[in-house]
Amino acid sequence: MTTSVRNRQEASSRVATRVTAHVPGHVDSVDDDLGHVEHGVDVLDGLQKQDANHPHHRNQHPLRRVWLFLISMRTGLWIILLLGILTLFGTLLMQATPEARADEQTYAQWLAGTPSERYGGWVGILDKLGLFHVFSTWYFQGLFVLLSMSILACSINRAPKLWRVATHPRTSMREVFFTHAPLRATVDLPGDVETAAQQVRDALHGKHFRVIDGTTTTGADVYGDRFRWGPFGTVVAHLSIIVIMLGFVVSATTGFKDTDFIAPVGVDVPVGHGTGLTAKALSFTDTYYENGSPKDYVSDVVLTKDGKQVARQEVRVNTPLIYEGVWFHQAFFGIGVDVTVKEQGKEIFRQMVPLKWQSNDGQQSIGQFEIPGKGVSVYVIQAASGQVLKELPAGTAQFEVHKDGVENPLGWPVIDQGKSADVDGLTYTFERNRPYTGLTVKQDKGSWLVWLGSALLIIGSYLVFFMPHRRIWARIRSNGDGTSRVMVGAPLKRDPAFEPVFKNIVSTIKTSDA
């Protein structure tokens, strides 16, 4: 009787818990089960990084060395850095449109225009380097392909191992793991091994862990994990980068963006760029608040194709008209001048000239047009809205005519609406004033890829940061005196929130026999 009481007292005294959770540091290699366990899943599951500079790898087959080069983190970082620098150049420098680059003469004229004014003597060097069409250069596309190959190689290299860890995890660990694991605890419980093992299972189930029994001939091993698919977030995030970059490349090399599309009210204007569309602004309305600030700009726009109306909508800044992937955004508005130019009674120019600029003093509105094949450029000038100028009465417009290679203007007649004036053999007629709406017209064929890649990036990041793979191993062995010793261990890898969960599970195991 005395012996039985003494055994129960000894068993009760052994119901003690020792929980240790510390910051991962260097751990000597004691056993294959331990390895560098402070790094978590990698070494335990054969996911350790490959070092292409390791002496063993230098003697491998060339294809193997190429593979190690592609899956190297250093390779990926260097490629991303170079692509980032090129993208910066592509953002800061003017980029020629595909249409301009399709024709050598057109491209030469483009270089001689704004790029020459902006970059001066650097234009030739920048052009030789391809920096006016960065995203279509062979080196940018080559780096993009190389980065895509690297990301795919990393995903291919990692995915099968992640699948193995998720579907066929290692369920048993040797004792040395439980004495060196970053998160570890030892609990002595009264009762046999199976009773103690069930308490471990119940504690893990209580925290929504999947539970798998290990295979052992002595005692019991229990394995539990949660969020086993979380590590696949890295694969999803890697693939999302490829999709996003592909979207940017498609956007930069296809489609178009016209930020200066002018549609005079009541006039059909071809959209161009191979769309076959024609746009007409039926009306334009601008409204203002009492303090004078703009309230709303609205254009009633009709699209036709092959002579048939295909779309009609009131277009606002944030309410674009979209048809077959072409977007029409409200951008600006103004007043233009309908001009007709004749030579010996034959019409050689008829167009609305938008008055897009203002003089430095804000008193004049100015537009400009050129007469094809004549080497003549003309500035059309009117008094700005709300301004009264003696030299430009209401209902008149001044035509300042310039000839290429001639320093001074050929003439600057002031013409009444509906009247004409002759300058250097050409007859200029001021037909009427007409309002116009300015639209931003674009076709972005890669936008859906960018949206898809962004969604994948969010999903992958969520899996990585909010659903980290949490794993716990338990080793239950009999003490030989009617009690069982439960050793619990877990890696701690970039998941500080796991420590309180681990402690709670251990506390549940300790108190569940009460």
Side-chain angles (χ1 to χ4, degrees):
M1 184 70 175
T2 305
T3 303
S4 176
V5 172
R6 185 184 304 116
N7 288 339
R8 286 198 299 270
Q9 291 174 342
E10 290 175 356
S12 298
S13 65
R14 291 196 195 97
V15 184
T17 305
R18 177 166 49 86
V19 180
T20 306
H22 56 84
V23 178
H26 176 74
V27 178
D28 294 331
S29 180
V30 179
D31 192 277
D32 290 341
D33 284 326
L34 178 61
H36 288 78
V37 72
E38 72 276 10
H39 294 305
V41 66
D42 291 348
V43 176
L44 288 176
D45 299 300
L47 302 184
Q48 59 268 35
K49 297 176 183 177
Q50 302 283 351
D51 184 5
N53 294 320
H54 193 280
H56 173 66
H57 294 150
R58 295 196 198 102
N59 298 325
Q60 290 182 346
H61 191 279
L63 291 179
R64 175 65 178 171
R65 295 190 65 186
V66 170
W67 176 258
L68 294 176
F69 171 78
L70 289 175
I71 65 175
S72 169
M73 182 181 294
R74 184 178 302 174
T75 299
L77 291 176
W78 272 109
I79 297 174
I80 291 173
L81 176 62
L82 292 175
L83 284 173
I85 293 174
L86 292 176
T87 302
L88 181 64
F89 278 117
T91 303
L92 297 179
L93 299 177
M94 294 182 64
Q95 298 294 292
T97 62
E99 291 84 357
R101 293 186 56 246
D103 180 74
E104 291 186 7
Q105 184 175 358
T106 304
Y107 183 62
Q109 292 175 350
W110 181 84
L111 287 176
T114 306
S116 294
E117 297 175 1
R118 184 173 297 182
Y119 308 117
W122 288 94
V123 167
I125 298 175
L126 296 175
D127 180 43
K128 289 291 184 183
L129 293 175
L131 296 181
F132 291 127
H133 49 94
V134 170
F135 303 109
S136 60
T137 57
W138 64 268
Y139 49 82
F140 182 90
Q141 295 179 355
L143 285 172
F144 173 78
V145 171
L146 186 60
L147 179 61
S148 300
M149 292 173 60
S150 176
I151 294 174
L152 282 174
C154 290
S155 301
I156 293 171
N157 183 62
R158 188 171 179 82
K161 299 174 184 178
L162 293 175
W163 177 264
R164 187 182 70 242
V165 172
T167 58
H168 298 89
R170 183 174 183 176
T171 57
S172 298
M173 288 290 183
R174 297 182 186 177
E175 186 173 354
V176 68
F177 169 80
F178 299 96
T179 59
H180 290 79
L183 297 177
R184 56 183 182 265
T186 300
V187 181
D188 287 333
L189 299 176
D192 58 18
V193 169
E194 180 55 33
T195 301
Q198 188 59 45
Q199 292 179 204
V200 174
R201 297 187 195 102
D202 292 342
L204 291 172
H205 280 306
K207 289 298 180 180
H208 309 290
F209 276 65
R210 177 184 61 158
V211 177
I212 302 175
D213 288 331
T215 56
T216 180
T217 57
T218 59
D221 290 339
V222 177
Y223 166 81
D225 68 1
R226 192 179 184 197
F227 306 135
R228 54 177 167 153
W229 304 113
F232 280 90
T234 58
V235 177
V236 175
H238 285 166
L239 295 178
S240 73
I241 295 174
I242 296 179
V243 175
I244 290 173
M245 293 184 63
L246 180 62
F248 281 127
V249 171
V250 171
S251 296
T253 56
T254 64
F256 63 90
K257 184 176 183 179
D258 186 350
T259 59
D260 196 27
F261 184 84
I262 293 176
V265 173
V267 178
D268 290 320
V269 182
V271 175
H273 304 285
T275 62
L277 295 173
T278 298
K280 178 192 285 187
L282 299 180
S283 64
F284 173 81
T285 305
D286 54 322
T287 56
Y288 300 85
Y289 292 103
E290 292 182 359
N291 61 5
S293 60
K295 182 178 181 181
D296 196 13
Y297 301 144
V298 185
S299 296
D300 186 1
V301 178
V302 171
L303 297 182
T304 57
K305 187 173 185 178
D306 299 328
K308 298 180 180 179
Q309 180 176 319
V310 294
R312 178 178 178 179
Q313 181 182 312
E314 289 189 341
V315 178
R316 292 176 167 84
V317 175
N318 295 317
T319 310
L321 168 59
I322 305 173
Y323 179 76
E324 292 185 345
V326 182
W327 295 53
F328 296 80
H329 289 268
Q330 181 66 54
F332 54 95
F333 67 95
I335 296 294
V337 175
D338 283 357
V339 176
T340 301
V341 182
K342 294 182 179 181
E343 183 179 32
Q344 297 179 355
K346 182 181 179 181
E347 185 179 292
I348 59 175
F349 180 88
R350 175 183 287 273
Q351 191 172 308
M352 189 213 74
V353 180
L355 306 181
K356 299 190 295 184
W357 306 292
Q358 281 196 335
S359 59
N360 292 334
D361 58 11
Q363 293 186 337
Q364 298 173 334
S365 295
I366 304 171
Q368 188 264 345
F369 69 94
E370 296 180 356
I371 303 176
K374 297 298 181 181
V376 174
S377 61
V378 182
Y379 291 96
V380 182
I381 308 168
Q382 283 190 317
S385 176
Q387 300 293 325
V388 178
L389 303 177
K390 287 172 67 175
E391 65 274 18
L392 281 174
T396 65
Q398 185 177 41
F399 286 64
E400 187 176 298
V401 183
H402 293 261
K403 185 84 171 180
D404 292 349
V406 179
E407 183 176 354
N408 296 319
L410 300 179
W412 48 89
V414 176
I415 307 174
D416 292 328
Q417 182 172 320
K419 303 296 184 179
S420 303
D422 293 334
V423 178
D424 195 33
L426 300 178
T427 301
Y428 297 87
T429 302
F430 169 25
E431 302 285 358
R432 54 169 286 186
N433 281 109
R434 185 193 301 270
Y436 69 83
T437 183
L439 305 172
T440 295
V441 184
K442 65 178 182 178
Q443 184 182 55
D444 189 351
K445 296 182 179 180
S447 60
W448 71 273
L449 288 171
V450 175
W451 283 108
L452 175 61
S454 300
L456 291 175
L457 181 60
I458 293 173
I459 293 172
S461 301
Y462 182 86
L463 290 174
V464 170
F465 293 109
F466 294 98
M467 300 181 69
H469 193 192
R470 293 174 174 175
R471 304 194 294 169
I472 293 177
W473 285 267
R475 176 185 175 92
I476 304 98
R477 297 294 184 268
S478 174
N479 288 325
D481 57 359
T483 64
S484 300
R485 171 157 294 183
V486 179
M487 302 181 73
V488 187
L492 182 64
K493 184 183 180 183
R494 295 186 295 274
D495 184 16
F498 183 31
E499 184 175 343
V501 174
F502 179 84
K503 289 183 177 181
N504 188 274
I505 290 174
V506 172
S507 177
T508 302
I509 294 172
K510 173 185 174 183
T511 59
S512 61
D513 66 306

